[in-house]
Amino acid sequence: MTFNKLAKGLSLNVILALALTLLVVLPDEIYKMVNSNYQAELSTKVTIIIFVSYFLAFSSKGGRAPIVLTFFFAGIATNQLLHFEYFGSHVSPNEIPLFFDEIDEITVSLFTLWKESLGAFVVWGLMVFVSFKMVTVSRESRLSLPLASLVLLAVYTLGLPRKAYNDPSVQNYYPNPKAISIANGVRSLSWVLANDLYREALGEKRGNKSYVKREPLVVEKLIDKIEPLNIVFVMGESLNPRHMSAYGHERKTTPLLDKRINKGEIKKTIVYSGGVSTKVSIPTFFNLKKYPEDTSALTSGSTNLLALAEEQGMTAWWLSTQSANLSVYSARVDRERFYTKEDVLREYETKYDLALLDLLKKVDLAKPNFIVLHERGSHSPYEKYHPSDFVKYPETGVTTDELRVNSYHNSLLFSDYVHEEIISYLDENSSLPTIVIFTGDHGELLGEGGYWSHSKLIAGVAEVPFIIWHNKKAKEYADNLYKLKFPTHFEVGKNIATLLGYKVSDPQEQDGVYFVNGKNLAGDASFAKMQLGQDGKISSWEILR
């Protein structure tokens, strides 16, 4: 083969690969035009991976590889986009095996979306047809590389699944709201291949032996149209209430909040979160996911607080200084009202969580809103997420343990300042009844019992603050919100749903029995079952594996 022929064949492979790469990412861009809640953005990394995949496909000796690859990508994209259209969420790894158990129900669902399904399949067929034509027209001119198709096959059936096989956390393979359908689909499928097929074949499939199939929660709309109000939900990060002066700590770590408490403006208590890691606790809270094994609430969105607010005519916002992937299954909002750390990187570098106040100022407070402010504040390393002006307790020249405690307390000082700024802004600018709800995604241990950080299934890691501020017009709302049947995130969520005009009930409820999930959102890893007495204290704490 001459050099010119080699160069020409190589160039053709590159052109063909680039053309099909642009073709298969096009459905996501089209879908964004018709569904404003779809938040996907094309990343350079994903584009390169798709391009390299097609380059290998066109470099294979046979002519079928590009067609098979397009068929594979088109199938994944169609599956993800139809799922999003029907449920408002992406397909997770836990849902793929259910496809084979619930094929009849899925078929019925597709018929209810027959227009969307028909359009999707037409686009799918067009993509496959174009790839077929490209293969046939270029068959004699393309450059063939030895083992190209085998390398491509190995990457998708062995390479990516092997990475998932060695990863203990399924959350790392849950969809990212800002990733395109192909990326989310490949990620989910890799987990299923590794942990539902390969592990089962090897007799080592992961799972929790205490798994119990649960009935979904029942949602009843009690009020057709609620009175206009603003609800601002501040989700803090890694919060230990025992280290807040608002709860009695000797160091004045929340001096501004303390002043409001002394004026009688604040309601506060301690509640138990539904998880001990952010990736689990966030979707657990905002979807009222009571049972670790029950993933139906995540996919259906029937108990999603932001979706319920939107149904009542409120405008839902997700404003976060955390990564977009932490909002999966929670942020059911229009993409124009969806901001994460990736959108405010420049501001965050100097303002940290105070950047949330700038985002809050985008909201028209004259109209009813449900606003989530998701903070980064007290995440480890604690000294990394607050400005030097708030270093009251020394972070240099101290022992490692002293640094941990001191920097954590400094992070609380800064968060206290951020919260005061948020409350002051709302008090001055919201004419509607306004409530600010403040809690944490999970707790944080700072040497208690010899433990540090979180992610451990210990009751102390589940303890988080529950704080309410309200303006004068919202006193009755706040009083009702504060009346918890038991001090848990689940009951907080139920009360918010009630505030929104909905009654949420549990068909299999056991009085005082709640769960704290471990590292797996679907409950496949360990989780804790706790029994609460009428005094709200834990009478038993059982780890189920």
Side-chain angles (χ1 to χ4, degrees):
M1 179 182 294
T2 64
F3 176 79
N4 287 339
K5 188 173 183 180
L6 178 67
K8 186 177 180 180
L10 183 63
S11 299
L12 181 58
N13 288 11
V14 169
I15 293 171
L16 293 171
L18 181 61
L20 276 187
T21 297
L22 295 175
L23 180 65
V24 297
V25 301
L26 189 59
D28 282 76
E29 296 303 312
I30 295 173
Y31 186 60
K32 284 170 66 175
M33 297 178 186
V34 298
N35 189 335
S36 60
N37 284 343
Y38 193 64
Q39 301 152 356
E41 297 176 0
L42 185 61
S43 72
T44 302
K45 179 181 178 181
V46 171
T47 304
I48 291 173
I49 291 173
I50 295 174
F51 169 77
V52 171
S53 298
Y54 269 118
F55 179 80
L56 289 172
F58 277 111
S59 299
S60 63
K61 289 187 177 181
R64 290 173 292 182
I67 301 172
V68 172
L69 185 62
T70 302
F71 195 87
F72 173 63
F73 283 157
I76 285 177
T78 301
N79 191 352
Q80 289 281 345
L81 295 178
L82 287 177
H83 189 281
F84 194 92
E85 180 65 22
Y86 190 79
F87 293 107
S89 63
H90 303 272
V91 179
S92 73
N94 305 106
E95 293 176 85
I96 294 177
L98 294 177
F99 174 84
F100 301 98
D101 297 330
E102 302 176 4
I103 184 65
D104 294 338
E105 296 181 17
I106 292 172
T107 303
V108 172
S109 299
L110 283 177
F111 275 111
T112 65
L113 290 174
W114 69 269
K115 291 181 180 179
E116 293 85 350
S117 301
L118 180 61
F121 287 122
V122 168
V123 173
W124 184 354
L126 178 63
M127 290 162 64
V128 174
F129 174 76
V130 170
S131 64
F132 174 77
K133 293 298 291 183
M134 284 184 174
V135 167
T136 54
V137 170
S138 65
R139 187 184 303 274
E140 302 300 325
S141 305
R142 286 185 286 114
L143 175 68
S144 295
L145 297 177
L147 305 178
S149 58
L150 290 178
V151 171
L152 180 61
L153 183 64
V155 167
Y156 283 94
T157 61
L158 296 176
L160 295 176
R162 179 175 176 78
K163 183 179 178 183
Y165 184 90
N166 294 322
D167 195 326
S169 178
V170 67
Q171 273 78 251
N172 293 332
Y173 292 83
Y174 267 71
N176 183 334
K178 288 196 172 183
I180 65 170
S181 56
I182 290 175
N184 283 325
V186 170
R187 186 182 296 117
S188 294
L189 192 59
S190 295
W191 177 269
V192 171
L193 285 174
N195 294 283
D196 286 302
L197 293 180
Y198 298 167
R199 281 190 181 277
E200 186 168 357
L202 295 171
E204 53 180 50
K205 187 177 179 182
R206 292 169 174 163
N208 193 314
K209 295 179 182 178
S210 301
Y211 178 90
V212 177
K213 185 172 177 59
R214 305 287 184 178
E215 293 296 321
L217 302 181
V218 177
V219 182
E220 180 184 359
K221 193 173 186 179
L222 301 179
I223 303 173
D224 288 332
K225 186 71 173 179
I226 61 173
E227 295 296 319
L229 78 159
N230 283 315
I231 299 175
V232 180
F233 192 98
V234 183
M235 181 62 83
E237 169 66 49
S238 303
L239 291 177
N240 184 332
R242 311 292 182 182
H243 283 257
M244 300 169 68
S245 54
Y247 288 88
H249 195 275
E250 58 186 14
R251 281 182 170 179
K252 291 297 181 181
T253 54
T254 55
L256 299 174
L257 180 61
D258 297 345
K259 289 181 180 179
R260 290 191 178 271
I261 291 173
N262 293 334
K263 292 178 182 179
E265 299 178 1
I266 297 292
K267 300 177 185 295
K268 67 178 178 65
T269 188
I270 293 176
V271 298
Y272 295 99
S273 65
V276 293
S277 70
T278 304
K279 289 183 178 180
V280 171
S281 60
I282 296 297
T284 294
F285 178 83
F286 286 105
N287 291 285
L288 277 68
K289 184 175 179 290
K290 185 176 183 180
Y291 299 100
E293 317 97 318
D294 179 26
T295 59
S296 62
L298 303 177
T299 54
S300 70
S302 60
T303 50
N304 182 275
L305 294 176
L306 288 88
L308 295 179
E310 288 267 0
E311 286 182 21
Q312 284 288 14
M314 302 177 77
T315 301
W317 296 76
W318 187 275
L319 311 176
S320 173
T321 49
Q322 298 256 28
S323 300
N325 67 315
L326 294 178
S327 67
V328 64
Y329 295 123
S330 302
R332 290 177 179 263
V333 299
D334 189 291
R335 64 174 173 272
E336 298 299 324
R337 301 189 295 274
F338 178 71
Y339 292 85
T340 61
K341 183 179 178 180
E342 294 86 348
D343 301 305
V344 293
L345 277 176
R346 182 175 298 177
E347 297 86 347
Y348 184 76
E349 288 176 356
T350 56
K351 293 187 175 183
Y352 304 94
D353 278 343
L354 200 57
L356 291 172
L357 182 61
D358 294 336
L359 293 175
L360 180 60
K361 291 178 180 178
K362 295 178 179 288
V363 180
D364 182 0
L365 296 173
K367 299 177 181 178
N369 297 279
F370 189 99
I371 307 163
V372 174
L373 303 177
H374 187 195
E375 300 177 318
R376 182 69 173 172
S378 295
H379 196 284
S380 62
Y382 315 120
E383 66 273 17
K384 187 177 179 181
Y385 302 111
H386 56 261
S388 57
D389 294 349
F390 288 84
V391 180
K392 179 178 180 179
Y393 306 105
E395 296 181 355
T396 57
V398 293
T399 66
T400 299
D401 288 353
E402 288 172 337
L403 170 61
R404 289 173 175 175
V405 174
N406 288 351
S407 59
Y408 185 80
H409 289 171
N410 290 332
S411 76
L412 292 178
L413 274 169
F414 179 59
S415 292
D416 183 51
Y417 173 74
V418 172
H419 301 152
E420 177 63 24
E421 290 293 298
I422 290 170
I423 290 174
S424 296
Y425 176 77
L426 292 168
D427 199 18
E428 293 174 9
N429 293 279
S430 177
S431 59
L432 295 178
T434 301
I435 298 175
V436 176
I437 306 162
F438 173 56
T439 187
D441 54 356
H442 51 75
E444 186 82 345
L445 295 177
L446 293 153
E448 293 89 345
Y451 294 106
W452 297 85
S453 192
H454 53 271
S455 296
K456 300 174 181 64
L457 279 171
I458 300 172
V461 180
E463 285 188 347
V464 292
F466 175 49
I467 298 168
I468 299 175
W469 173 88
H470 61 87
N471 64 7
K472 293 179 180 179
K473 296 180 180 180
K475 184 180 185 304
E476 184 178 351
Y477 293 127
D479 290 343
N480 292 332
L481 187 60
Y482 190 67
K483 296 174 183 176
L484 299 175
K485 184 178 180 181
F486 289 97
T488 67
H489 262 181
F490 177 74
E491 292 297 334
V492 172
K494 276 182 62 178
N495 281 8
I496 294 174
T498 301
L499 186 62
L500 294 172
Y502 297 87
K503 178 183 178 181
V504 178
S505 54
D506 176 12
Q508 61 252 296
E509 181 177 10
Q510 294 178 278
D511 201 41
V513 175
Y514 295 88
F515 296 84
V516 178
N517 204 351
K519 296 181 179 181
N520 190 309
L521 184 56
D524 289 339
S526 301
F527 54 82
K529 177 182 179 182
M530 62 179 175
Q531 175 70 57
L532 299 177
Q534 293 302 315
D535 59 359
K537 295 181 179 179
I538 297 176
S539 59
S540 70
W541 179 274
E542 181 185 4
I543 306 297
L544 302 177
R545 296 180 170 85

